[in-house]
Amino acid sequence: MVFARGAANAAATGGTTRPRHVAIIMDGNGRWATERSWPRLVGHRRGAERVKQIVRACPDLGVDWLTVYAFSTENWKRSAEEVLGLMKIFRRYIEREAEGMSAEGVRMRFIGGRERLDRKLQDLMASIEARTAGNTRLNLTVAINYGGRDELVRASTRLAQKIAEGQIVKPTEADLADCMDTAGHPDPDLVIRTSGETRTSNFLPWQAAYAEYEFTPTLWPDFTPAHLATILDRYGLRERRFGGA
Ligand code: IPE
Ligand code: IPE
Ligand code: MG
């Protein structure tokens, strides 16, 4: 658990510094449902409703970029019923939210390997990315079949290809960043994990190298825009030094 530090910085900024890019590990859907003796998928459905609310709240909270971890490369280990149920929730979310996101100025993108996802979902992902490409109010990135190590392997393969083709001679950090799924996205300033777990579970290891972290015991289906606002206020009290003195 990381608590606010850097009162001097807070005084300098009036405690109003906002993270431009917030990334969320949305954890605790299963426990939320199990606590109520409901199937885990009920928790996932409720979790998807929360995503909608949080997405809507972000622009007014000064957040320009929101990245959410929806399904990890490790989550395939779950039962077929849960995995298929989650895939259905993702399809429905995209289908039902397409209109609203366009109207609200949300640009939706996905990170993670797509080839393992079913064709219908891949098509929906590509179509909403194209449809919302001109939107600028909020950049929403959804990580599906995402794993940081998997992304690094895919990115290194691309980088090796560019080197072999002579496009790059001596690779830099920027060259590798350009090969990641997040090419062109700013790094997250703040990573939030719900449900009380204090680990990163293979989420954005490259991009979050200098992010601030917040861990909250709240289960994702209970996480409201008010919880987010409180965490953002605390972020404003932090002093980010990036290795400087
Ligand atoms: C997060 O909730 C959603 C996904 C990982 C898809 P969990 O399903 O991990 O919920 P818990 O951790 O079992 O409570
Ligand atoms: C991380 O949650 C992945 C997502 C939120 C999509 P998990 O519940 O899968 O993580 P672990 O297994 O507890 O680390
Ligand atoms: Mg979990």
Side-chain angles (χ1 to χ4, degrees):
M1 199 86 48
V2 184
F3 292 102
R5 16 179 342 205
N9 181 59
T13 61
T16 55
T17 313
R18 288 294 185 183
R20 181 176 175 218
H21 184 176
V22 175
I24 307 183
I25 303 172
M26 310 182 291
D27 198 12
N29 295 347
R31 277 163 282 170
W32 184 91
T34 304
E35 275 174 5
R36 292 161 176 78
S37 307
W38 290 340
R40 292 175 60 85
L41 279 168
V42 176
H44 293 312
R45 269 181 231 123
R46 204 57 83 89
E49 291 302 314
R50 281 301 179 200
V51 177
K52 288 182 203 171
Q53 272 192 327
I54 296 295
V55 165
R56 282 193 194 112
C58 276
D60 290 337
L61 292 169
V63 174
D64 298 332
W65 288 77
L66 175 69
T67 299
V68 293
Y69 203 5
F71 192 89
S72 75
T73 45
E74 288 71 35
N75 288 148
W76 296 104
K77 293 177 195 159
R78 299 187 180 197
S79 71
E81 186 194 5
E82 184 167 348
V83 169
L84 289 173
L86 280 162
M87 295 299 152
K88 190 169 166 190
I89 289 169
F90 301 149
R91 285 197 304 269
R92 282 219 185 131
Y93 187 95
I94 299 171
E95 280 166 349
R96 292 187 184 166
E97 288 300 291
E99 267 330 302
M101 282 190 287
S102 299
E104 287 166 33
V106 177
R107 176 170 187 178
M108 192 175 193
R109 280 178 275 209
F110 299 90
I111 54 172
R114 300 201 188 182
E115 59 301 316
R116 200 171 165 183
L117 304 174
D118 76 60
R119 174 49 60 187
K120 175 98 197 306
L121 179 56
Q122 287 188 40
D123 291 347
L124 281 168
M125 288 160 70
S127 99
I128 194 144
E129 280 180 329
R131 188 164 166 192
T132 63
N135 292 345
T136 55
R137 196 156 180 261
L138 176 71
N139 290 282
L140 170 64
T141 305
V142 183
I144 299 183
N145 188 30
Y146 177 86
R149 289 179 171 180
D150 175 67
E151 182 190 31
L152 277 162
V153 170
R154 290 186 288 105
S156 323
T157 308
R158 274 180 223 135
L159 187 65
Q161 206 168 351
K162 288 190 190 180
I163 295 168
E165 288 165 359
Q167 289 179 46
I168 293 171
V169 179
K170 191 168 177 284
T172 61
E173 290 186 10
D175 291 326
L176 183 51
D178 280 346
C179 293
M180 306 290 279
D181 297 349
T182 52
H185 303 197
D187 285 341
D189 299 297
L190 173 67
V191 178
I192 300 169
R193 183 172 189 146
T194 58
S195 90
E197 309 295 355
T198 48
R199 54 180 171 265
T200 60
S201 301
N202 208 6
F203 188 46
L204 304 175
W206 166 269
Q207 298 86 345
Y210 244 106
E212 302 290 325
Y213 278 82
E214 280 273 350
F215 299 99
T216 169
T218 308
L219 301 175
W220 177 251
D222 291 328
F223 189 84
T224 63
H227 287 107
L228 178 61
T230 304
I231 289 174
L232 298 184
D233 285 345
R234 251 199 324 261
Y235 173 92
L237 301 174
R238 291 175 177 225
E239 183 189 1
R240 299 186 74 191
R241 287 194 292 272
F242 298 101

